[in-house]
PDB file of all heavy atoms in Angstrom:
ATOM      1  N   THR A  96      61.149 117.501 121.787  1.00 92.00           N
ATOM      2  CA  THR A  96      60.231 116.818 122.719  1.00 92.00           C
ATOM      3  C   THR A  96      59.643 115.564 122.087  1.00 92.00           C
ATOM      4  O   THR A  96      59.397 115.550 120.837  1.00 92.00           O
ATOM      5  CB  THR A  96      59.043 117.714 123.153  1.00 92.00           C
ATOM      6  OG1 THR A  96      58.713 118.566 122.069  1.00 92.00           O
ATOM      7  CG2 THR A  96      59.355 118.514 124.380  1.00 92.00           C
ATOM      8  N   ARG A  97      59.451 114.552 122.849  1.00 88.00           N
ATOM      9  CA  ARG A  97      58.902 113.311 122.354  1.00 88.00           C
ATOM     10  C   ARG A  97      57.535 113.548 121.756  1.00 88.00           C
ATOM     11  O   ARG A  97      56.740 114.351 122.266  1.00 88.00           O
ATOM     12  CB  ARG A  97      58.800 112.319 123.526  1.00 88.00           C
ATOM     13  CG  ARG A  97      58.712 110.902 123.154  1.00 88.00           C
ATOM     14  CD  ARG A  97      59.081 110.016 124.300  1.00 88.00           C
ATOM     15  NE  ARG A  97      60.522 110.048 124.578  1.00 88.00           N
ATOM     16  CZ  ARG A  97      61.433 109.439 123.796  1.00 88.00           C
ATOM     17  NH1 ARG A  97      61.058 108.738 122.753  1.00 88.00           N
ATOM     18  NH2 ARG A  97      62.694 109.504 124.078  1.00 88.00           N
ATOM     19  N   GLY A  98      57.272 112.923 120.627  1.00 85.00           N
ATOM     20  CA  GLY A  98      55.981 113.129 119.975  1.00 85.00           C
ATOM     21  C   GLY A  98      56.133 114.051 118.741  1.00 85.00           C
ATOM     22  O   GLY A  98      55.319 113.973 117.830  1.00 85.00           O
ATOM     23  N   GLN A  99      57.236 114.820 118.701  1.00 88.00           N
ATOM     24  CA  GLN A  99      57.465 115.630 117.525  1.00 88.00           C
ATOM     25  C   GLN A  99      57.885 114.743 116.329  1.00 88.00           C
ATOM     26  O   GLN A  99      58.658 113.792 116.544  1.00 88.00           O
ATOM     27  CB  GLN A  99      58.638 116.613 117.822  1.00 88.00           C
ATOM     28  CG  GLN A  99      58.242 118.004 118.148  1.00 88.00           C
ATOM     29  CD  GLN A  99      59.468 118.871 118.296  1.00 88.00           C
ATOM     30  OE1 GLN A  99      60.263 118.744 119.248  1.00 88.00           O
ATOM     31  NE2 GLN A  99      59.717 119.743 117.327  1.00 88.00           N
ATOM     32  N   ASP A 100      57.408 115.037 115.144  1.00 91.00           N
ATOM     33  CA  ASP A 100      57.853 114.330 113.978  1.00 91.00           C
ATOM     34  C   ASP A 100      59.097 115.028 113.425  1.00 91.00           C
ATOM     35  O   ASP A 100      59.070 116.220 113.127  1.00 91.00           O
ATOM     36  CB  ASP A 100      56.770 114.373 112.855  1.00 91.00           C
ATOM     37  CG  ASP A 100      55.755 113.270 113.086  1.00 91.00           C
ATOM     38  OD1 ASP A 100      55.986 112.414 113.950  1.00 91.00           O
ATOM     39  OD2 ASP A 100      54.730 113.296 112.395  1.00 91.00           O
ATOM     40  N   VAL A 101      60.192 114.291 113.308  1.00 94.00           N
ATOM     41  CA  VAL A 101      61.402 114.909 112.859  1.00 94.00           C
ATOM     42  C   VAL A 101      62.001 114.049 111.737  1.00 94.00           C
ATOM     43  O   VAL A 101      62.135 112.806 111.911  1.00 94.00           O
ATOM     44  CB  VAL A 101      62.423 115.018 114.036  1.00 94.00           C
ATOM     45  CG1 VAL A 101      63.760 115.511 113.534  1.00 94.00           C
ATOM     46  CG2 VAL A 101      61.878 115.909 115.108  1.00 94.00           C
ATOM     47  N   GLU A 102      62.334 114.613 110.625  1.00 96.00           N
ATOM     48  CA  GLU A 102      62.919 113.833 109.534  1.00 96.00           C
ATOM     49  C   GLU A 102      64.323 113.377 109.932  1.00 96.00           C
ATOM     50  O   GLU A 102      65.093 114.144 110.479  1.00 96.00           O
ATOM     51  CB  GLU A 102      63.027 114.711 108.256  1.00 96.00           C
ATOM     52  CG  GLU A 102      61.664 114.939 107.590  1.00 96.00           C
ATOM     53  CD  GLU A 102      61.845 115.441 106.192  1.00 96.00           C
ATOM     54  OE1 GLU A 102      62.968 115.800 105.810  1.00 96.00           O
ATOM     55  OE2 GLU A 102      60.812 115.504 105.490  1.00 96.00           O
ATOM     56  N   HIS A 103      64.607 112.103 109.656  1.00 97.00           N
ATOM     57  CA  HIS A 103      65.913 111.571 110.023  1.00 97.00           C
ATOM     58  C   HIS A 103      66.283 110.431 109.061  1.00 97.00           C
ATOM     59  O   HIS A 103      65.381 109.882 108.400  1.00 97.00           O
ATOM     60  CB  HIS A 103      65.940 111.125 111.466  1.00 97.00           C
ATOM     61  CG  HIS A 103      64.881 110.068 111.778  1.00 97.00           C
ATOM     62  ND1 HIS A 103      63.559 110.398 112.042  1.00 97.00           N
ATOM     63  CD2 HIS A 103      64.946 108.725 111.858  1.00 97.00           C
ATOM     64  CE1 HIS A 103      62.873 109.300 112.282  1.00 97.00           C
ATOM     65  NE2 HIS A 103      63.680 108.291 112.171  1.00 97.00           N
ATOM     66  N   ASP A 104      67.549 110.088 109.086  1.00 97.00           N
ATOM     67  CA  ASP A 104      68.015 108.948 108.244  1.00 97.00           C
ATOM     68  C   ASP A 104      68.233 107.698 109.054  1.00 97.00           C
ATOM     69  O   ASP A 104      68.147 106.591 108.565  1.00 97.00           O
ATOM     70  CB  ASP A 104      69.340 109.344 107.539  1.00 97.00           C
ATOM     71  CG  ASP A 104      69.193 110.616 106.758  1.00 97.00           C
ATOM     72  OD1 ASP A 104      68.335 110.619 105.851  1.00 97.00           O
ATOM     73  OD2 ASP A 104      69.892 111.628 107.070  1.00 97.00           O
ATOM     74  N   VAL A 105      68.639 107.911 110.323  1.00 96.00           N
ATOM     75  CA  VAL A 105      68.979 106.798 111.199  1.00 96.00           C
ATOM     76  C   VAL A 105      68.272 107.015 112.536  1.00 96.00           C
ATOM     77  O   VAL A 105      68.205 108.142 113.024  1.00 96.00           O
ATOM     78  CB  VAL A 105      70.499 106.791 111.496  1.00 96.00           C
ATOM     79  CG1 VAL A 105      70.887 105.619 112.389  1.00 96.00           C
ATOM     80  CG2 VAL A 105      71.304 106.715 110.217  1.00 96.00           C
ATOM     81  N   HIS A 106      67.814 105.958 113.145  1.00 95.00           N
ATOM     82  CA  HIS A 106      67.192 106.008 114.455  1.00 95.00           C
ATOM     83  C   HIS A 106      67.932 105.053 115.386  1.00 95.00           C
ATOM     84  O   HIS A 106      67.959 103.849 115.142  1.00 95.00           O
ATOM     85  CB  HIS A 106      65.720 105.631 114.373  1.00 95.00           C
ATOM     86  CG  HIS A 106      64.990 105.709 115.651  1.00 95.00           C
ATOM     87  ND1 HIS A 106      63.676 105.342 115.798  1.00 95.00           N
ATOM     88  CD2 HIS A 106      65.358 106.183 116.905  1.00 95.00           C
ATOM     89  CE1 HIS A 106      63.281 105.537 117.063  1.00 95.00           C
ATOM     90  NE2 HIS A 106      64.303 106.043 117.724  1.00 95.00           N
ATOM     91  N   ILE A 107      68.624 105.594 116.379  1.00 95.00           N
ATOM     92  CA  ILE A 107      69.351 104.771 117.326  1.00 95.00           C
ATOM     93  C   ILE A 107      68.678 104.885 118.687  1.00 95.00           C
ATOM     94  O   ILE A 107      68.576 106.036 119.202  1.00 95.00           O
ATOM     95  CB  ILE A 107      70.829 105.273 117.476  1.00 95.00           C
ATOM     96  CG1 ILE A 107      71.511 105.362 116.121  1.00 95.00           C
ATOM     97  CG2 ILE A 107      71.607 104.409 118.443  1.00 95.00           C
ATOM     98  CD1 ILE A 107      72.808 106.146 116.134  1.00 95.00           C
ATOM     99  N   SER A 108      68.231 103.816 119.257  1.00 93.00           N
ATOM    100  CA  SER A 108      67.514 103.900 120.522  1.00 93.00           C
ATOM    101  C   SER A 108      68.001 102.932 121.552  1.00 93.00           C
ATOM    102  O   SER A 108      68.450 101.804 121.210  1.00 93.00           O
ATOM    103  CB  SER A 108      65.988 103.812 120.321  1.00 93.00           C
ATOM    104  OG  SER A 108      65.675 102.540 119.800  1.00 93.00           O
ATOM    105  N   GLY A 109      67.939 103.335 122.793  1.00 93.00           N
ATOM    106  CA  GLY A 109      68.331 102.512 123.924  1.00 93.00           C
ATOM    107  C   GLY A 109      68.048 103.329 125.180  1.00 93.00           C
ATOM    108  O   GLY A 109      67.683 104.479 125.113  1.00 93.00           O
ATOM    109  N   THR A 110      68.251 102.692 126.309  1.00 91.00           N
ATOM    110  CA  THR A 110      68.070 103.504 127.519  1.00 91.00           C
ATOM    111  C   THR A 110      69.214 104.486 127.599  1.00 91.00           C
ATOM    112  O   THR A 110      70.234 104.358 126.898  1.00 91.00           O
ATOM    113  CB  THR A 110      68.122 102.600 128.785  1.00 91.00           C
ATOM    114  OG1 THR A 110      69.411 102.029 128.831  1.00 91.00           O
ATOM    115  CG2 THR A 110      67.046 101.530 128.767  1.00 91.00           C
ATOM    116  N   LEU A 111      69.040 105.519 128.397  1.00 89.00           N
ATOM    117  CA  LEU A 111      70.071 106.527 128.523  1.00 89.00           C
ATOM    118  C   LEU A 111      71.402 105.870 128.884  1.00 89.00           C
ATOM    119  O   LEU A 111      72.448 106.216 128.364  1.00 89.00           O
ATOM    120  CB  LEU A 111      69.674 107.562 129.592  1.00 89.00           C
ATOM    121  CG  LEU A 111      70.750 108.574 129.896  1.00 89.00           C
ATOM    122  CD1 LEU A 111      70.876 109.559 128.724  1.00 89.00           C
ATOM    123  CD2 LEU A 111      70.467 109.332 131.175  1.00 89.00           C
ATOM    124  N   VAL A 112      71.340 104.928 129.836  1.00 89.00           N
ATOM    125  CA  VAL A 112      72.554 104.307 130.322  1.00 89.00           C
ATOM    126  C   VAL A 112      73.256 103.502 129.195  1.00 89.00           C
ATOM    127  O   VAL A 112      74.464 103.558 129.011  1.00 89.00           O
ATOM    128  CB  VAL A 112      72.262 103.390 131.537  1.00 89.00           C
ATOM    129  CG1 VAL A 112      73.408 102.439 131.821  1.00 89.00           C
ATOM    130  CG2 VAL A 112      71.975 104.241 132.744  1.00 89.00           C
ATOM    131  N   THR A 113      72.483 102.820 128.380  1.00 91.00           N
ATOM    132  CA  THR A 113      73.034 102.109 127.225  1.00 91.00           C
ATOM    133  C   THR A 113      73.768 103.067 126.307  1.00 91.00           C
ATOM    134  O   THR A 113      74.905 102.833 125.873  1.00 91.00           O
ATOM    135  CB  THR A 113      71.914 101.386 126.460  1.00 91.00           C
ATOM    136  OG1 THR A 113      71.330 100.397 127.330  1.00 91.00           O
ATOM    137  CG2 THR A 113      72.462 100.691 125.229  1.00 91.00           C
ATOM    138  N   LEU A 114      73.117 104.179 126.003  1.00 90.00           N
ATOM    139  CA  LEU A 114      73.713 105.151 125.061  1.00 90.00           C
ATOM    140  C   LEU A 114      74.945 105.813 125.714  1.00 90.00           C
ATOM    141  O   LEU A 114      75.973 106.026 125.033  1.00 90.00           O
ATOM    142  CB  LEU A 114      72.674 106.207 124.660  1.00 90.00           C
ATOM    143  CG  LEU A 114      71.478 105.640 123.873  1.00 90.00           C
ATOM    144  CD1 LEU A 114      70.408 106.710 123.674  1.00 90.00           C
ATOM    145  CD2 LEU A 114      71.887 105.057 122.518  1.00 90.00           C
ATOM    146  N   LEU A 115      74.888 106.075 127.011  1.00 88.00           N
ATOM    147  CA  LEU A 115      76.047 106.647 127.693  1.00 88.00           C
ATOM    148  C   LEU A 115      77.222 105.674 127.680  1.00 88.00           C
ATOM    149  O   LEU A 115      78.376 106.057 127.431  1.00 88.00           O
ATOM    150  CB  LEU A 115      75.711 106.993 129.163  1.00 88.00           C
ATOM    151  CG  LEU A 115      75.018 108.304 129.424  1.00 88.00           C
ATOM    152  CD1 LEU A 115      74.697 108.463 130.924  1.00 88.00           C
ATOM    153  CD2 LEU A 115      75.852 109.483 128.932  1.00 88.00           C
ATOM    154  N   ARG A 116      76.924 104.380 127.917  1.00 86.00           N
ATOM    155  CA  ARG A 116      77.990 103.367 127.952  1.00 86.00           C
ATOM    156  C   ARG A 116      78.649 103.315 126.576  1.00 86.00           C
ATOM    157  O   ARG A 116      79.850 103.127 126.458  1.00 86.00           O
ATOM    158  CB  ARG A 116      77.397 102.022 128.279  1.00 86.00           C
ATOM    159  CG  ARG A 116      77.226 101.811 129.733  1.00 86.00           C
ATOM    160  CD  ARG A 116      77.123 100.313 130.057  1.00 86.00           C
ATOM    161  NE  ARG A 116      76.961 100.153 131.489  1.00 86.00           N
ATOM    162  CZ  ARG A 116      75.892  99.597 132.055  1.00 86.00           C
ATOM    163  NH1 ARG A 116      74.906  99.144 131.326  1.00 86.00           N
ATOM    164  NH2 ARG A 116      75.812  99.501 133.381  1.00 86.00           N
ATOM    165  N   MET A 117      77.834 103.486 125.545  1.00 85.00           N
ATOM    166  CA  MET A 117      78.368 103.383 124.209  1.00 85.00           C
ATOM    167  C   MET A 117      79.308 104.586 123.908  1.00 85.00           C
ATOM    168  O   MET A 117      80.409 104.420 123.421  1.00 85.00           O
ATOM    169  CB  MET A 117      77.218 103.350 123.192  1.00 85.00           C
ATOM    170  CG  MET A 117      77.491 102.495 122.024  1.00 85.00           C
ATOM    171  SD  MET A 117      76.085 102.461 120.945  1.00 85.00           S
ATOM    172  CE  MET A 117      76.289 104.006 120.112  1.00 85.00           C
ATOM    173  N   ILE A 118      78.860 105.792 124.237  1.00 83.00           N
ATOM    174  CA  ILE A 118      79.693 106.957 123.900  1.00 83.00           C
ATOM    175  C   ILE A 118      80.902 107.052 124.861  1.00 83.00           C
ATOM    176  O   ILE A 118      81.831 107.734 124.620  1.00 83.00           O
ATOM    177  CB  ILE A 118      78.954 108.305 123.832  1.00 83.00           C
ATOM    178  CG1 ILE A 118      78.422 108.720 125.180  1.00 83.00           C
ATOM    179  CG2 ILE A 118      77.866 108.249 122.765  1.00 83.00           C
ATOM    180  CD1 ILE A 118      78.009 110.208 125.189  1.00 83.00           C
TER     181      ILE A 118
END
Side-chain angles (χ1 to χ4, degrees):
Chain A
T96 34
R97 200 161 287 286
Q99 259 185 288
D100 276 352
V101 175
E102 287 195 351
H103 57 279
D104 305 301
V105 181
H106 182 184
I107 306 167
S108 62
T110 62
L111 175 73
V112 165
T113 297
L114 297 172
L115 278 178
R116 279 200 179 118
M117 216 178 78
I118 67 165

